[in-house]
Amino acid sequence: ASGGASGGGGGGSAAELAVREAEIAVLRHRVGELEKGMVRLKEVTKERIMAFREAAYCLFGYRVDMTAEVTAAKDAATAPTTFSLKPQHADDPNAMLVFRYSKARGMELVPNAFSSKMSREVDTFVRKFNSIPAFTANLTIENFQKMTVC
């Protein structure tokens, strides 16, 4: 009789094991579905970012590249971000404006060889009037006029 009781207990263990294995199978299936969803979300996000970048280029005349200056995951929210703008109508293939954004300091022009050629415009639009949009708009118009001179 005791063998039957332990056999019954063993049967219960086998049933519990089968239930656990079924739960594991269901969870693995759910993980697989979630992973597929994550991959699709990444693909859609990448597509939308590319569409946004192309629209910005067509609408505003600048190809924008963004890089975060993150050294550790904990710094991601406060790390400065660098934006490189390549003008659509520039006659110089190395033409690029570089800006750095941080919460503490806002948007700042990072001096480089290209921006140093425009010291008057930088002084007027960026420093005196604190208007990066006016600076980039002025550059767009100047480059466009150079390209369309008959």
Side-chain angles (χ1 to χ4, degrees), residues 36-104:
K36 285 180 193 175
M38 183 78 105
V39 167
R40 181 66 186 134
L41 181 61
K42 285 180 181 180
E43 290 170 357
V44 169
T45 300
K46 186 176 181 179
E47 291 169 8
R48 298 291 28 174
I49 289 170
M50 295 295 287
F52 178 82
R53 289 182 71 222
E54 190 60 31
Y57 182 67
C58 293
L59 292 168
F60 304 112
Y62 289 92
R63 175 99 38 222
V64 181
D65 291 314
M66 180 179 83
T67 53
E69 300 172 21
V70 179
T71 55
K74 65 180 175 129
D75 300 330
T78 58
T81 303
T82 300
F83 296 89
S84 301
L85 280 65
K86 291 188 173 199
Q88 185 177 46
H89 298 293
D91 53 358
D92 178 0
N94 297 317
M96 183 185 325
L97 295 171
V98 179
F99 297 92
R100 180 174 292 122
Y101 175 80
S102 68
K103 286 185 179 182

Side-chain angles (χ1 to χ4, degrees), residues 16 19 23 30 38 64 107 111 121 136:
E16 288 176 11
V19 168
E23 289 173 348
R30 285 186 61 201
M38 183 78 105
V64 181
M107 190 67 76
E121 292 86 348
T136 57

